[in-house]
Amino acid sequence: MHGDRLRGAGVRNATEDTAWEVAPDVHCLGPTGRTQTNVYFVRAGESWVLVDAGWERDATRIERAAAQLCGDRRPAAILLTHCHPDHAGAAKALARRWGCQVYMHPSELPIARGDLAAMVEQAGPLDRFLVLPVMRAMGRQRREAAIARSGLGEVARAFDPDGEIPGLPGWTAVRTPGHTPGHLSLHRAEDGVLICGDALVTLEVNSLTGMVWQAQGLSGPPWYTTWDRAAALRSIATLAELEPRVIAGGHGWPVAGPDAAARLHDLATARGPLRPMSGDLFVDRAVEEVFDMAADEPSWNPAMTAVEWLTPPPMGAGTRFAATMGGRLRMHVEITGFERPRTIGSVTRSTMMTTVGAVRFEPSGTGTLMHWDWGYRLHGASRLMTPLFAAFGSHWERGNWERMRDLLEARPNTH
């Protein structure tokens, strides 16, 4: 699927001081503000760790969420994926209130302690063309005061990413340099949970329209604050190899689902954001009937011809087939998730576009509620059609499923 955007009932009604469950023992406070920033509370046994600390102004809000979630227990540590102000801003204030240390990759430590030479060496485009010139214009005394105020000082500590993560047994640190030299992600192999800071986000941070409309979509780090874009792309490939089932980035709604890994692989290969497209449709038939017909799309979709099965039956996760759409466009489909009668995930590739997503089926009254959630990317010259597809793609997709609904509801009801 475009991944499930993890927005449970508790999230919709939550205040901005309430953390919500992303995965067992992992809670998110966010996304918050124009940058859709997240921080994470991660339990490990009787202790817990704060992963990233938002902006400086977020300290009190994070402390309130921690009290609701963990009571009087103070964290074993604060862990930073990297030392940018939207991830480390409240770390010093919280560390002093809680009496704990702030841990990071050794390469992040000079920035955390206010080393101006390191800031110059590790600068991204925005730093080079705006932040550093402003800092130079401030004069030495004001500049040193500003650096001292924002630095982490005595609470900053480095840890060995190849060793045990402070306070987080069962988790592994994954080196994901690029956005910054020492960027780290956290992976829990037991259930495929990935906390990835800005190495991988679920907000379209690299398009103006994505940022203005806060569009959700799997994306690499924002290029304008990234130290080494080539290294960042390699890090996305590294994360794809982990086959995560939950992707909890530093910005945007965390996503989960049987196709999360496939979607990440597609991003690693195509190196571009996926645009979201989703919708719902009620079908007045039992969920098993609706699932089975949706799974057998080649039999009822007149636009899908010349079907060639590339793997033997039965249909299931890993099934692959090729087909021609509209008499011209040859496409290859791989089923990435198949949980009858709940979910069908798929990746569809053609010379025109790539689509990654899933359809989900839920019993609803006398029938079934279908929900499709796709991420798509147009290729080559087809990218010129992006505004048109953004305007009409959802309409075309709905028309396809309405055709299936009409065919199914015209049959005698067997239940």
Side-chain angles (χ1 to χ4, degrees), residues 16 29-38 55 58 61 214 251:
E16 64 174 12
L29 181 62
T32 305
R34 174 54 58 184
T35 56
Q36 295 280 280
T37 301
N38 296 319
W55 297 94
D58 292 330
R61 189 171 64 87
Q214 297 183 330
H251 304 272

Side-chain angles (χ1 to χ4, degrees), residues 19 51-52 60 76 78 89 92 98 102 126 140 152 180 186 193 206 216 233 235 252 278 294 303 391 409:
V51 179
D52 285 338
T60 299
I78 298 172
K92 180 165 65 176
W98 287 333
V102 182
L126 184 65
R140 180 179 176 182
L152 299 183
T180 66
L186 305 177
V193 179
N206 286 315
Q216 304 300 304
L233 291 171
S235 290
S278 60
E409 290 183 350

Side-chain angles (χ1 to χ4, degrees), residues 17-371:
D17 294 345
T18 302
W20 55 280
E21 186 177 69
V22 173
D25 294 327
V26 180
H27 286 73
C28 174
L29 181 62
T32 305
R34 174 54 58 184
T35 56
Q36 295 280 280
T37 301
N38 296 319
V39 303
Y40 294 94
F41 302 85
V42 185
R43 286 197 184 101
E46 294 300 315
S47 65
W48 64 277
V49 167
L50 179 70
V51 179
D52 285 338
W55 297 94
E56 183 178 6
R57 63 178 178 269
D58 292 330
T60 299
R61 189 171 64 87
I62 293 171
E63 192 173 27
R64 287 175 183 158
Q68 290 181 18
L69 194 63
C70 306
D72 295 332
R73 285 181 297 164
R74 296 186 174 188
I78 298 172
L79 184 66
L80 300 183
T81 58
H82 62 295
C83 200
H84 276 176
D86 56 336
H87 291 257
K92 180 165 65 176
L94 291 170
R96 287 175 172 173
R97 294 178 196 179
W98 287 333
C100 66
Q101 302 298 314
V102 182
Y103 291 93
M104 65 204 73
H105 187 285
S107 296
E108 300 292 299
L109 203 56
I111 296 288
R113 291 182 172 170
D115 185 331
L116 183 59
M119 295 179 188
V120 173
E121 181 181 352
Q122 300 179 18
L126 184 65
D127 298 318
R128 290 195 297 270
F129 298 115
L130 179 61
V131 177
L132 290 173
V134 169
M135 290 179 67
R136 293 188 184 102
M138 291 171 65
R140 180 179 176 182
Q141 188 172 359
R142 289 180 61 201
R143 180 172 63 247
E144 289 180 350
I147 292 173
R149 187 168 57 252
S150 60
L152 299 183
E154 78 284 354
V155 300
R157 294 286 187 276
F159 79 99
D160 180 4
D162 295 325
E164 184 173 310
I165 302 175
L168 285 185
W171 289 76
T172 302
V174 183
R175 297 172 186 260
T176 47
H179 187 56
T180 66
H183 194 290
L184 291 174
S185 299
L186 305 177
H187 182 237
R188 188 167 67 186
E190 174 187 343
D191 55 357
V193 179
L194 177 66
I195 301 176
C196 44
D198 283 359
L200 179 67
V201 299
T202 54
L203 183 71
E204 289 190 12
V205 293
N206 286 315
S207 74
L208 179 59
T209 55
M211 287 298 292
V212 168
W213 297 107
Q214 297 183 330
Q216 304 300 304
L218 203 60
S219 175
W223 67 265
Y224 40 87
T225 56
T226 292
W227 163 70
D228 186 331
R229 293 181 71 179
L233 291 171
R234 291 193 294 272
S235 290
I236 292 173
T238 296
L239 294 177
E241 292 174 0
L242 298 175
E243 303 282 340
R245 294 189 289 279
V246 177
I247 299 174
H251 304 272
W253 288 95
V255 299
D259 64 311
R263 187 176 165 214
L264 177 50
H265 276 292
D266 187 67
L267 176 67
T269 301
R271 298 180 177 180
L274 293 168
R275 295 175 175 271
M277 180 171 63
S278 60
D280 299 281
L281 181 70
F282 177 79
V283 183
D284 192 17
R285 286 295 183 270
V287 66
E288 292 82 5
E289 288 184 79
V290 180
F291 179 96
D292 290 343
M293 190 161 185
D296 193 24
E297 183 177 2
S299 72
W300 56 263
N301 189 343
M304 187 178 290
T305 59
V307 177
E308 177 187 359
W309 294 96
L310 305 176
T311 55
M315 171 79 79
T319 294
R320 293 181 295 114
F321 66 91
T324 299
M325 287 295 291
R328 290 186 177 184
L329 185 66
R330 193 65 174 170
M331 65 181 190
H332 287 77
V333 180
E334 179 179 356
I335 304 301
T336 57
F338 195 86
E339 301 173 11
R340 186 180 187 270
R342 299 296 185 186
T343 305
I344 303 172
S346 66
V347 178
T348 302
R349 296 181 175 90
S350 70
T351 56
M352 177 184 173
M353 67 187 300
T354 295
T355 304
V356 182
V359 186
R360 283 179 162 69
F361 309 83
E362 298 178 8
S364 178
T366 60
T368 299
L369 182 65
M370 293 179 57
H371 176 74

